Amino acid sequence: MFRHVAIIGLGLQGGSIGLAVQACLPGVATSGYDISPQTRARAAERGLVSQVCDTPEDAVQGADLVIFCVPPGAIGPVAQALRDAIRPDALVSDVGSSKSSIAAALAEALPDHTVIPAHPVAGTENSGPDAGFASLFQNRWCIVTPPEKTDLLKLSALVEFWETLGANVEIMDAEHHDLVLAVTSHLPHLIAYTIVGTASDLEEVTRSEVIKYSAGGFRDFTRIAASDPTMWRDVFLSNKDAVLTMLQRFTEDLTALQRAIRVGDGEALFSHFERTRATRRSIIEEGQDDARPDFGRGDHRRNQR
Ligand code: NAP
């Protein structure tokens, strides 16, 4: 399918792809680059790719698949800088968490290359070169968003690539991806960032009380709110329209619940909570999470993003 995979950005996603390729596609060469010298050194120590390069040009040289695994806002500029270094017949992809604006940036940066964006819906709240692990994509979804008139042979090679890494692949329109992920991932992160900020700012509740009684639900929000600030800043800026659409809808639903509490409408609250409990059951039944109280995460945390 591919002989040489180049990875730009050796953090959680890039490192996991490098390890997964080495585990699932022995014989395929892997090379990589990261902007930070410390990350490059650690990536070499951990063997995230077989060759860690000192320049991005060296990393992509000869590669027939190049995957950008840098924060969403960096993907376009990094691709642009590598326009002349990437083989003309190489397939270029990325793992960015939003798709429409990144696809547009990649198409502008690399007008003569085949670009097929993708988003593995798999991650943790950890980032950097120590965060990656080979099984990150096992039984997780990877959404591929091919532009119109995509080279079908290259598309099927990319699909096969992700399936070999253990993912279930879904092909989707980039705009639809952005709406779906706005509600399943971006909005929950925004809510977590908000609530953790609010609790920390409350003057009548001390900081030690917030930490001490965090098991009351707050703790699960803090895990999400610990996610990488650079990446999430870029996610909200790059998926602005879809996030604002879903936020408007969320605000209306929150107002309806607020009203139910104010007027003492227990029936409305109960039926809402019953419906949300059923959603949780479906997620477990479909194998997308674990029913155990610690979500089965243990030390090796894995969850959807
Ligand atoms: P990460 O662990 O922070 O890794 C990103 C790496 O890219 C960092 O080591 C960063 O270096 C490096 N980098 C930044 N700018 C660069 C540049 N110009 N050239 C080369 N390297 C550069 O983040 P991640 O979680 O792997 O996220 C990477 C991408 O995956 C993002 O686009 C994100 O939207 C997407 N994604 C993330 C998740 C998730 O759960 N985390 C899930 C699915 C998709 P420094 O930190 O040293 O600057």
Side-chain angles (χ1 to χ4, degrees), residues 82-149:
L82 292 175
R83 183 186 288 191
D84 298 329
I86 299 174
R87 252 170 67 169
D89 62 341
L91 171 59
V92 177
S93 190
D94 75 302
V95 294
S97 303
S98 67
K99 291 275 60 95
S100 303
S101 61
I102 291 175
L106 278 172
E108 196 188 325
L110 301 169
D112 302 323
H113 286 84
T114 303
V115 177
I116 307 181
H119 175 203
V121 189
T124 72
E125 65 278 24
N126 301 319
S127 54
D130 283 304
F133 53 99
S135 61
L136 177 66
F137 310 109
Q138 292 290 332
N139 201 29
R140 300 287 136 188
W141 287 103
C142 179
I143 302 175
V144 175
T145 61
E148 277 177 37
K149 300 188 194 134

Short mmCIF file of all heavy atoms in Angstrom, two decimals, residues 82-149:
data_model
loop_
_atom_site.label_atom_id
_atom_site.label_comp_id
_atom_site.label_asym_id
_atom_site.label_seq_id
_atom_site.Cartn_x
_atom_site.Cartn_y
_atom_site.Cartn_z
N LEU A 82 6.59 22.75 2.70
CA LEU A 82 7.14 21.48 2.18
C LEU A 82 6.70 21.19 0.75
O LEU A 82 6.93 20.09 0.24
CB LEU A 82 6.73 20.33 3.11
CG LEU A 82 7.39 20.37 4.49
CD1 LEU A 82 6.83 19.26 5.38
CD2 LEU A 82 8.90 20.22 4.36
N ARG A 83 6.04 22.17 0.13
CA ARG A 83 5.48 21.97 -1.21
C ARG A 83 6.49 21.33 -2.18
O ARG A 83 6.17 20.39 -2.89
CB ARG A 83 5.01 23.32 -1.76
CG ARG A 83 4.35 23.20 -3.11
CD ARG A 83 4.05 24.56 -3.67
NE ARG A 83 2.95 25.20 -2.97
CZ ARG A 83 2.34 26.31 -3.39
NH1 ARG A 83 2.73 26.89 -4.51
NH2 ARG A 83 1.36 26.85 -2.73
N ASP A 84 7.71 21.84 -2.19
CA ASP A 84 8.69 21.35 -3.15
C ASP A 84 9.42 20.10 -2.68
O ASP A 84 10.09 19.43 -3.47
CB ASP A 84 9.73 22.44 -3.48
CG ASP A 84 9.05 23.64 -4.12
OD1 ASP A 84 8.03 23.43 -4.81
OD2 ASP A 84 9.51 24.77 -3.89
N ALA A 85 9.31 19.80 -1.39
CA ALA A 85 10.07 18.66 -0.87
C ALA A 85 9.29 17.35 -0.94
O ALA A 85 9.88 16.26 -0.98
CB ALA A 85 10.47 18.93 0.58
N ILE A 86 7.95 17.45 -0.97
CA ILE A 86 7.13 16.23 -0.99
C ILE A 86 7.06 15.67 -2.41
O ILE A 86 6.85 16.42 -3.37
CB ILE A 86 5.70 16.53 -0.47
CG1 ILE A 86 5.77 17.03 0.98
CG2 ILE A 86 4.81 15.30 -0.56
CD1 ILE A 86 4.42 17.50 1.54
N ARG A 87 7.27 14.38 -2.54
CA ARG A 87 7.22 13.73 -3.86
C ARG A 87 5.92 14.09 -4.57
O ARG A 87 4.84 14.04 -3.96
CB ARG A 87 7.22 12.21 -3.64
CG ARG A 87 8.50 11.53 -4.02
CD ARG A 87 8.53 10.11 -3.57
NE ARG A 87 7.55 9.24 -4.25
CZ ARG A 87 7.55 7.92 -4.14
NH1 ARG A 87 8.47 7.31 -3.41
NH2 ARG A 87 6.66 7.19 -4.76
N PRO A 88 5.97 14.41 -5.87
CA PRO A 88 4.75 14.83 -6.56
C PRO A 88 3.65 13.76 -6.56
O PRO A 88 2.47 14.08 -6.56
CB PRO A 88 5.22 15.09 -8.00
CG PRO A 88 6.70 15.19 -7.94
CD PRO A 88 7.17 14.47 -6.71
N ASP A 89 4.06 12.48 -6.51
CA ASP A 89 3.04 11.41 -6.53
C ASP A 89 2.68 10.91 -5.13
O ASP A 89 1.97 9.92 -4.98
CB ASP A 89 3.55 10.24 -7.39
CG ASP A 89 4.83 9.63 -6.80
OD1 ASP A 89 5.49 10.31 -5.98
OD2 ASP A 89 5.15 8.48 -7.14
N ALA A 90 3.18 11.59 -4.10
CA ALA A 90 2.88 11.14 -2.72
C ALA A 90 1.43 11.47 -2.36
O ALA A 90 0.85 12.42 -2.89
CB ALA A 90 3.82 11.83 -1.74
N LEU A 91 0.88 10.67 -1.48
CA LEU A 91 -0.43 11.01 -0.91
C LEU A 91 -0.19 11.81 0.37
O LEU A 91 0.62 11.41 1.21
CB LEU A 91 -1.22 9.72 -0.59
CG LEU A 91 -2.51 9.92 0.21
CD1 LEU A 91 -3.48 10.83 -0.52
CD2 LEU A 91 -3.17 8.57 0.47
N VAL A 92 -0.89 12.92 0.50
CA VAL A 92 -0.74 13.76 1.69
C VAL A 92 -2.02 13.69 2.52
O VAL A 92 -3.12 13.80 1.97
CB VAL A 92 -0.45 15.23 1.29
CG1 VAL A 92 -0.36 16.11 2.53
CG2 VAL A 92 0.84 15.31 0.48
N SER A 93 -1.86 13.48 3.82
CA SER A 93 -3.04 13.44 4.70
C SER A 93 -2.70 14.14 6.02
O SER A 93 -1.61 14.68 6.19
CB SER A 93 -3.47 11.98 4.92
OG SER A 93 -4.71 11.95 5.57
N ASP A 94 -3.65 14.15 6.91
CA ASP A 94 -3.45 14.80 8.22
C ASP A 94 -4.34 14.10 9.22
O ASP A 94 -5.07 13.16 8.85
CB ASP A 94 -3.81 16.29 8.14
CG ASP A 94 -5.31 16.49 8.10
OD1 ASP A 94 -5.94 15.95 7.17
OD2 ASP A 94 -5.87 17.14 9.00
N VAL A 95 -4.27 14.54 10.48
CA VAL A 95 -5.13 13.94 11.51
C VAL A 95 -5.90 15.03 12.26
O VAL A 95 -6.39 14.80 13.36
CB VAL A 95 -4.31 13.09 12.51
CG1 VAL A 95 -3.70 11.88 11.83
CG2 VAL A 95 -3.23 13.93 13.19
N GLY A 96 -5.96 16.23 11.69
CA GLY A 96 -6.56 17.37 12.39
C GLY A 96 -8.00 17.11 12.85
O GLY A 96 -8.77 16.44 12.17
N SER A 97 -8.35 17.71 13.99
CA SER A 97 -9.66 17.44 14.59
C SER A 97 -10.81 18.17 13.92
O SER A 97 -11.97 17.90 14.22
CB SER A 97 -9.63 17.83 16.07
OG SER A 97 -8.60 17.14 16.72
N SER A 98 -10.52 19.15 13.06
CA SER A 98 -11.59 19.74 12.26
C SER A 98 -11.18 19.53 10.81
O SER A 98 -10.00 19.33 10.53
CB SER A 98 -11.78 21.21 12.59
OG SER A 98 -10.65 21.94 12.17
N LYS A 99 -12.16 19.56 9.89
CA LYS A 99 -11.78 19.14 8.56
C LYS A 99 -11.96 20.19 7.46
O LYS A 99 -11.07 20.30 6.61
CB LYS A 99 -12.54 17.84 8.17
CG LYS A 99 -12.07 16.66 8.98
CD LYS A 99 -10.84 15.90 8.48
CE LYS A 99 -9.51 16.56 8.33
NZ LYS A 99 -8.58 16.42 9.45
N SER A 100 -13.05 20.97 7.43
CA SER A 100 -13.27 21.86 6.28
C SER A 100 -12.14 22.87 6.13
O SER A 100 -11.56 23.00 5.05
CB SER A 100 -14.58 22.63 6.44
OG SER A 100 -15.63 21.73 6.58
N SER A 101 -11.82 23.59 7.20
CA SER A 101 -10.81 24.64 7.06
C SER A 101 -9.42 24.06 6.84
O SER A 101 -8.62 24.63 6.10
CB SER A 101 -10.84 25.60 8.25
OG SER A 101 -10.55 24.89 9.41
N ILE A 102 -9.13 22.92 7.43
CA ILE A 102 -7.83 22.28 7.23
C ILE A 102 -7.71 21.76 5.80
O ILE A 102 -6.68 21.92 5.14
CB ILE A 102 -7.59 21.15 8.27
CG1 ILE A 102 -7.41 21.75 9.66
CG2 ILE A 102 -6.38 20.30 7.88
CD1 ILE A 102 -7.28 20.75 10.78
N ALA A 103 -8.81 21.18 5.28
CA ALA A 103 -8.80 20.69 3.89
C ALA A 103 -8.53 21.86 2.94
O ALA A 103 -7.74 21.74 2.00
CB ALA A 103 -10.13 20.02 3.56
N ALA A 104 -9.16 23.01 3.21
CA ALA A 104 -8.96 24.18 2.35
C ALA A 104 -7.51 24.66 2.44
O ALA A 104 -6.88 24.98 1.42
CB ALA A 104 -9.92 25.29 2.76
N ALA A 105 -6.95 24.68 3.65
CA ALA A 105 -5.56 25.13 3.83
C ALA A 105 -4.60 24.18 3.12
O ALA A 105 -3.63 24.62 2.49
CB ALA A 105 -5.23 25.23 5.32
N LEU A 106 -4.87 22.88 3.22
CA LEU A 106 -3.98 21.90 2.57
C LEU A 106 -4.08 22.00 1.05
O LEU A 106 -3.07 21.92 0.34
CB LEU A 106 -4.34 20.48 3.02
CG LEU A 106 -3.76 20.03 4.37
CD1 LEU A 106 -4.35 18.69 4.79
CD2 LEU A 106 -2.23 19.93 4.29
N ALA A 107 -5.31 22.19 0.54
CA ALA A 107 -5.49 22.28 -0.92
C ALA A 107 -4.76 23.52 -1.46
O ALA A 107 -4.15 23.48 -2.52
CB ALA A 107 -6.97 22.34 -1.25
N GLU A 108 -4.80 24.60 -0.67
CA GLU A 108 -4.12 25.82 -1.10
C GLU A 108 -2.61 25.66 -1.03
O GLU A 108 -1.86 26.11 -1.92
CB GLU A 108 -4.57 26.98 -0.21
CG GLU A 108 -4.23 28.33 -0.80
CD GLU A 108 -4.51 29.46 0.18
OE1 GLU A 108 -5.48 29.36 0.96
OE2 GLU A 108 -3.74 30.44 0.16
N ALA A 109 -2.16 24.97 0.01
CA ALA A 109 -0.71 24.81 0.19
C ALA A 109 -0.11 23.85 -0.83
O ALA A 109 1.03 24.03 -1.25
CB ALA A 109 -0.43 24.30 1.61
N LEU A 110 -0.88 22.81 -1.20
CA LEU A 110 -0.34 21.76 -2.07
C LEU A 110 -1.26 21.53 -3.27
O LEU A 110 -1.86 20.46 -3.40
CB LEU A 110 -0.19 20.45 -1.27
CG LEU A 110 0.70 20.50 -0.02
CD1 LEU A 110 0.55 19.23 0.81
CD2 LEU A 110 2.17 20.70 -0.41
N PRO A 111 -1.37 22.53 -4.16
CA PRO A 111 -2.35 22.41 -5.25
C PRO A 111 -2.05 21.29 -6.23
O PRO A 111 -2.96 20.80 -6.89
CB PRO A 111 -2.26 23.79 -5.94
CG PRO A 111 -0.95 24.36 -5.54
CD PRO A 111 -0.60 23.78 -4.22
N ASP A 112 -0.79 20.83 -6.30
CA ASP A 112 -0.45 19.80 -7.28
C ASP A 112 -0.35 18.40 -6.69
O ASP A 112 0.00 17.45 -7.39
CB ASP A 112 0.88 20.17 -7.96
CG ASP A 112 0.78 21.53 -8.64
OD1 ASP A 112 -0.31 21.84 -9.18
OD2 ASP A 112 1.76 22.31 -8.57
N HIS A 113 -0.62 18.27 -5.42
CA HIS A 113 -0.55 16.95 -4.78
C HIS A 113 -1.94 16.38 -4.55
O HIS A 113 -2.92 17.12 -4.52
CB HIS A 113 0.17 17.05 -3.42
CG HIS A 113 1.65 17.24 -3.53
ND1 HIS A 113 2.23 18.47 -3.70
CD2 HIS A 113 2.67 16.34 -3.51
CE1 HIS A 113 3.55 18.33 -3.76
NE2 HIS A 113 3.84 17.05 -3.65
N THR A 114 -2.00 15.05 -4.37
CA THR A 114 -3.27 14.45 -3.93
C THR A 114 -3.33 14.58 -2.42
O THR A 114 -2.46 14.06 -1.70
CB THR A 114 -3.33 12.95 -4.31
OG1 THR A 114 -3.15 12.85 -5.72
CG2 THR A 114 -4.65 12.34 -3.91
N VAL A 115 -4.37 15.28 -1.95
CA VAL A 115 -4.53 15.48 -0.50
C VAL A 115 -5.85 14.84 -0.08
O VAL A 115 -6.90 15.14 -0.64
CB VAL A 115 -4.58 17.00 -0.17
CG1 VAL A 115 -4.83 17.19 1.32
CG2 VAL A 115 -3.29 17.69 -0.58
N ILE A 116 -5.79 13.94 0.89
CA ILE A 116 -7.02 13.34 1.43
C ILE A 116 -6.98 13.47 2.96
O ILE A 116 -6.28 12.72 3.64
CB ILE A 116 -7.17 11.85 1.03
CG1 ILE A 116 -7.05 11.70 -0.49
CG2 ILE A 116 -8.51 11.31 1.54
CD1 ILE A 116 -7.22 10.26 -0.99
N PRO A 117 -7.70 14.46 3.50
CA PRO A 117 -7.67 14.66 4.95
C PRO A 117 -8.36 13.51 5.71
O PRO A 117 -9.23 12.83 5.16
CB PRO A 117 -8.43 15.97 5.14
CG PRO A 117 -8.41 16.64 3.79
CD PRO A 117 -8.45 15.50 2.81
N ALA A 118 -7.96 13.35 6.95
CA ALA A 118 -8.56 12.31 7.79
C ALA A 118 -8.53 12.75 9.24
O ALA A 118 -7.80 13.69 9.61
CB ALA A 118 -7.79 11.00 7.62
N HIS A 119 -9.34 12.08 10.06
CA HIS A 119 -9.37 12.39 11.50
C HIS A 119 -9.61 11.10 12.28
O HIS A 119 -10.74 10.60 12.30
CB HIS A 119 -10.50 13.40 11.80
CG HIS A 119 -10.67 13.67 13.27
ND1 HIS A 119 -11.84 14.14 13.80
CD2 HIS A 119 -9.81 13.54 14.32
CE1 HIS A 119 -11.71 14.27 15.11
NE2 HIS A 119 -10.48 13.91 15.45
N PRO A 120 -8.55 10.56 12.89
CA PRO A 120 -8.78 9.41 13.77
C PRO A 120 -9.48 9.88 15.04
O PRO A 120 -8.94 10.74 15.74
CB PRO A 120 -7.36 8.89 14.05
CG PRO A 120 -6.45 10.03 13.76
CD PRO A 120 -7.15 10.98 12.83
N VAL A 121 -10.68 9.35 15.27
CA VAL A 121 -11.44 9.80 16.46
C VAL A 121 -10.96 8.97 17.65
O VAL A 121 -11.67 8.13 18.19
CB VAL A 121 -12.95 9.67 16.22
CG1 VAL A 121 -13.73 10.34 17.36
CG2 VAL A 121 -13.32 10.32 14.90
N ALA A 122 -9.72 9.19 18.00
CA ALA A 122 -9.08 8.42 19.07
C ALA A 122 -8.04 9.33 19.70
O ALA A 122 -7.28 9.98 18.99
CB ALA A 122 -8.38 7.20 18.49
N GLY A 123 -8.04 9.38 21.00
CA GLY A 123 -7.05 10.23 21.65
C GLY A 123 -7.11 10.09 23.15
O GLY A 123 -7.87 9.29 23.69
N THR A 124 -6.28 10.84 23.80
CA THR A 124 -6.31 10.93 25.26
C THR A 124 -6.07 12.41 25.59
O THR A 124 -5.83 13.20 24.68
CB THR A 124 -5.18 10.10 25.92
OG1 THR A 124 -3.95 10.78 25.69
CG2 THR A 124 -5.11 8.68 25.40
N GLU A 125 -6.10 12.73 26.87
CA GLU A 125 -5.85 14.11 27.25
C GLU A 125 -4.34 14.39 27.30
O GLU A 125 -3.93 15.50 27.56
CB GLU A 125 -6.51 14.43 28.60
CG GLU A 125 -5.94 13.68 29.80
CD GLU A 125 -6.51 12.27 29.95
OE1 GLU A 125 -6.97 11.69 28.94
OE2 GLU A 125 -6.50 11.74 31.07
N ASN A 126 -3.52 13.37 27.03
CA ASN A 126 -2.08 13.55 27.09
C ASN A 126 -1.52 13.97 25.74
O ASN A 126 -2.08 13.62 24.71
CB ASN A 126 -1.41 12.25 27.54
CG ASN A 126 -1.92 11.82 28.90
OD1 ASN A 126 -2.11 12.65 29.78
ND2 ASN A 126 -2.22 10.54 29.06
N SER A 127 -0.42 14.71 25.77
CA SER A 127 0.19 15.11 24.51
C SER A 127 1.70 14.97 24.62
O SER A 127 2.23 14.67 25.69
CB SER A 127 -0.21 16.55 24.17
OG SER A 127 0.09 17.40 25.24
N GLY A 128 2.38 15.14 23.49
CA GLY A 128 3.84 15.06 23.49
C GLY A 128 4.35 13.68 23.13
O GLY A 128 3.58 12.74 22.95
N PRO A 129 5.68 13.55 23.05
CA PRO A 129 6.28 12.32 22.52
C PRO A 129 6.15 11.10 23.44
O PRO A 129 6.35 9.98 23.00
CB PRO A 129 7.76 12.70 22.35
CG PRO A 129 7.97 13.80 23.32
CD PRO A 129 6.69 14.57 23.38
N ASP A 130 5.80 11.35 24.71
CA ASP A 130 5.62 10.20 25.61
C ASP A 130 4.19 9.68 25.61
O ASP A 130 3.90 8.66 26.22
CB ASP A 130 6.02 10.58 27.05
CG ASP A 130 7.52 10.61 27.19
OD1 ASP A 130 8.15 9.58 26.89
OD2 ASP A 130 8.07 11.68 27.52
N ALA A 131 3.30 10.41 24.93
CA ALA A 131 1.87 10.08 25.03
C ALA A 131 1.44 8.97 24.07
O ALA A 131 0.44 8.29 24.30
CB ALA A 131 1.03 11.33 24.77
N GLY A 132 2.19 8.78 22.98
CA GLY A 132 1.74 7.86 21.93
C GLY A 132 1.86 6.40 22.31
O GLY A 132 2.75 6.01 23.07
N PHE A 133 0.95 5.57 21.77
CA PHE A 133 1.05 4.12 21.94
C PHE A 133 0.44 3.44 20.72
O PHE A 133 -0.50 3.96 20.10
CB PHE A 133 0.42 3.64 23.26
CG PHE A 133 -0.99 4.09 23.50
CD1 PHE A 133 -2.06 3.26 23.23
CD2 PHE A 133 -1.25 5.36 24.01
CE1 PHE A 133 -3.37 3.67 23.47
CE2 PHE A 133 -2.55 5.79 24.23
CZ PHE A 133 -3.61 4.94 23.96
N ALA A 134 0.98 2.26 20.39
CA ALA A 134 0.66 1.60 19.12
C ALA A 134 -0.80 1.21 18.98
O ALA A 134 -1.33 1.15 17.86
CB ALA A 134 1.54 0.36 18.94
N SER A 135 -1.49 0.95 20.10
CA SER A 135 -2.86 0.43 19.99
C SER A 135 -3.91 1.55 20.04
O SER A 135 -5.10 1.27 20.15
CB SER A 135 -3.13 -0.58 21.11
OG SER A 135 -2.99 0.06 22.36
N LEU A 136 -3.48 2.81 19.95
CA LEU A 136 -4.44 3.93 20.09
C LEU A 136 -5.63 3.82 19.14
O LEU A 136 -6.74 4.18 19.49
CB LEU A 136 -3.72 5.27 19.85
CG LEU A 136 -4.60 6.53 19.88
CD1 LEU A 136 -5.17 6.76 21.28
CD2 LEU A 136 -3.82 7.76 19.46
N PHE A 137 -5.39 3.31 17.93
CA PHE A 137 -6.46 3.34 16.92
C PHE A 137 -7.29 2.07 16.87
O PHE A 137 -8.24 1.99 16.09
CB PHE A 137 -5.83 3.62 15.55
CG PHE A 137 -4.91 4.81 15.58
CD1 PHE A 137 -3.53 4.65 15.49
CD2 PHE A 137 -5.41 6.09 15.78
CE1 PHE A 137 -2.68 5.75 15.57
CE2 PHE A 137 -4.57 7.19 15.87
CZ PHE A 137 -3.20 7.02 15.76
N GLN A 138 -6.94 1.07 17.69
CA GLN A 138 -7.66 -0.20 17.66
C GLN A 138 -9.13 0.00 17.99
O GLN A 138 -9.46 0.54 19.04
CB GLN A 138 -7.07 -1.19 18.70
CG GLN A 138 -5.67 -1.68 18.37
CD GLN A 138 -5.64 -2.63 17.17
OE1 GLN A 138 -6.62 -3.32 16.89
NE2 GLN A 138 -4.53 -2.65 16.46
N ASN A 139 -9.98 -0.44 17.08
CA ASN A 139 -11.43 -0.37 17.27
C ASN A 139 -11.96 1.05 17.48
O ASN A 139 -12.99 1.24 18.10
CB ASN A 139 -11.88 -1.29 18.41
CG ASN A 139 -13.34 -1.62 18.30
OD1 ASN A 139 -13.90 -1.67 17.19
ND2 ASN A 139 -14.01 -1.83 19.42
N ARG A 140 -11.22 2.04 17.00
CA ARG A 140 -11.69 3.44 17.04
C ARG A 140 -12.06 3.83 15.62
O ARG A 140 -11.57 3.25 14.66
CB ARG A 140 -10.58 4.37 17.54
CG ARG A 140 -10.09 4.06 18.92
CD ARG A 140 -11.08 4.45 19.98
NE ARG A 140 -11.19 3.39 20.97
CZ ARG A 140 -12.08 3.35 21.94
NH1 ARG A 140 -12.97 4.31 22.06
NH2 ARG A 140 -12.12 2.36 22.78
N TRP A 141 -12.85 4.85 15.48
CA TRP A 141 -13.22 5.32 14.15
C TRP A 141 -12.15 6.23 13.58
O TRP A 141 -11.53 7.00 14.33
CB TRP A 141 -14.54 6.10 14.20
CG TRP A 141 -15.70 5.19 14.40
CD1 TRP A 141 -16.39 4.99 15.57
CD2 TRP A 141 -16.31 4.35 13.42
NE1 TRP A 141 -17.39 4.06 15.37
CE2 TRP A 141 -17.36 3.65 14.06
CE3 TRP A 141 -16.06 4.10 12.07
CZ2 TRP A 141 -18.16 2.73 13.39
CZ3 TRP A 141 -16.87 3.18 11.41
CH2 TRP A 141 -17.90 2.51 12.06
N CYS A 142 -11.94 6.11 12.30
CA CYS A 142 -11.13 7.12 11.60
C CYS A 142 -12.00 7.65 10.47
O CYS A 142 -12.46 6.89 9.61
CB CYS A 142 -9.85 6.52 11.04
SG CYS A 142 -8.87 7.78 10.18
N ILE A 143 -12.27 8.95 10.50
CA ILE A 143 -13.13 9.56 9.49
C ILE A 143 -12.26 10.14 8.39
O ILE A 143 -11.36 10.95 8.66
CB ILE A 143 -14.03 10.65 10.11
CG1 ILE A 143 -14.88 10.04 11.24
CG2 ILE A 143 -14.92 11.28 9.04
CD1 ILE A 143 -15.71 11.05 12.01
N VAL A 144 -12.49 9.68 7.17
CA VAL A 144 -11.72 10.16 6.01
C VAL A 144 -12.63 11.07 5.21
O VAL A 144 -13.79 10.73 4.94
CB VAL A 144 -11.23 8.96 5.17
CG1 VAL A 144 -10.53 9.43 3.91
CG2 VAL A 144 -10.30 8.08 6.00
N THR A 145 -12.12 12.27 4.87
CA THR A 145 -12.98 13.25 4.18
C THR A 145 -12.37 13.61 2.81
O THR A 145 -11.76 14.68 2.67
CB THR A 145 -13.16 14.52 5.05
OG1 THR A 145 -11.87 15.11 5.28
CG2 THR A 145 -13.80 14.21 6.38
N PRO A 146 -12.55 12.74 1.83
CA PRO A 146 -11.94 13.01 0.51
C PRO A 146 -12.61 14.19 -0.18
O PRO A 146 -13.83 14.31 -0.13
CB PRO A 146 -12.19 11.71 -0.27
CG PRO A 146 -13.33 11.05 0.43
CD PRO A 146 -13.32 11.50 1.85
N PRO A 147 -11.81 15.04 -0.82
CA PRO A 147 -12.43 16.12 -1.60
C PRO A 147 -13.07 15.52 -2.85
O PRO A 147 -12.84 14.35 -3.17
CB PRO A 147 -11.26 17.02 -1.96
CG PRO A 147 -10.03 16.28 -1.61
CD PRO A 147 -10.36 15.05 -0.85
N GLU A 148 -13.87 16.34 -3.56
CA GLU A 148 -14.48 15.86 -4.81
C GLU A 148 -13.38 15.45 -5.79
O GLU A 148 -12.30 16.01 -5.77
CB GLU A 148 -15.30 16.99 -5.43
CG GLU A 148 -16.68 17.09 -4.82
CD GLU A 148 -17.45 18.25 -5.41
OE1 GLU A 148 -17.31 18.52 -6.61
OE2 GLU A 148 -18.17 18.90 -4.62
N LYS A 149 -13.71 14.50 -6.61
CA LYS A 149 -12.80 14.00 -7.67
C LYS A 149 -11.48 13.47 -7.10
O LYS A 149 -10.41 13.70 -7.67
CB LYS A 149 -12.52 15.10 -8.70
CG LYS A 149 -13.77 15.60 -9.40
CD LYS A 149 -13.39 16.54 -10.52
CE LYS A 149 -14.60 17.32 -10.99
NZ LYS A 149 -14.36 18.73 -11.17
#
